[in-house]
């Protein structure tokens, strides 16, 4: 009887662990749609001017100025992409 339980429960437990691991490692993809604060250089200063969602290939612009993302505490050099969201 012990042998039967072991032979039955071992594959069932392995199957349940595989299902749990599949759900634990699945990505939902929402990190690609997060809005990022956009900054525009005005008078040689990096000032906040809205958000870009980083989902398309076009560079994010606002009123003809390219919108950047923060690349450090004081620098705005990272290119952001469309869509502009005020």
């Amino acid at each position: 009887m012990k042998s039967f339980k072991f032979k039955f429960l071992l594959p069932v437990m392995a199957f349940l662990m595989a299902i749990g691991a599949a759900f634990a490692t699945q990505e939902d993809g929402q990190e690609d749609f997060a809005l990022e604060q956009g900054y525009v250089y005005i008078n040689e200063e990096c000032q906040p001017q809205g958000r870009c969602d980083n989902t398309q290939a076009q560079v994010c612009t606002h009123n003809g100025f390219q919108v950047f993302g923060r690349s450090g505490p004081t620098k705005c050099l990272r290119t952001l992409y469309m869509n502009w969201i005020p």
Side-chain angles (χ1 to χ4, degrees):
M1 191 67 172
K2 275 187 173 182
S3 175
F4 176 72
K5 285 182 185 178
F6 183 73
K7 287 181 181 178
F8 177 75
L9 288 179
L10 187 62
V12 169
M13 292 304 292
F15 185 69
L16 290 175
M17 285 180 57
I19 290 173
F23 280 109
T25 59
Q26 184 177 1
E27 294 182 13
D28 62 0
Q30 292 298 319
E31 59 275 353
D32 294 339
F33 300 111
L35 297 176
E36 288 195 48
Q37 178 65 51
Y39 296 88
V40 175
Y41 280 107
I42 298 175
N43 298 328
E44 301 299 319
E45 280 189 34
C46 190
Q47 298 181 2
Q49 292 291 321
R51 300 177 188 277
C52 296
D53 65 8
N54 267 345
T55 59
Q56 296 182 4
Q58 298 174 358
V59 174
C60 189
T61 58
H62 174 62
N63 292 336
F65 295 104
Q66 182 177 349
V67 178
F68 295 95
R70 285 244 188 225
S71 57
T74 59
K75 295 189 179 195
C76 298
L77 300 174
R78 194 166 42 88
T79 303
L80 295 179
Y81 297 94
M82 290 297 217
N83 293 323
W84 169 258
I85 298 170

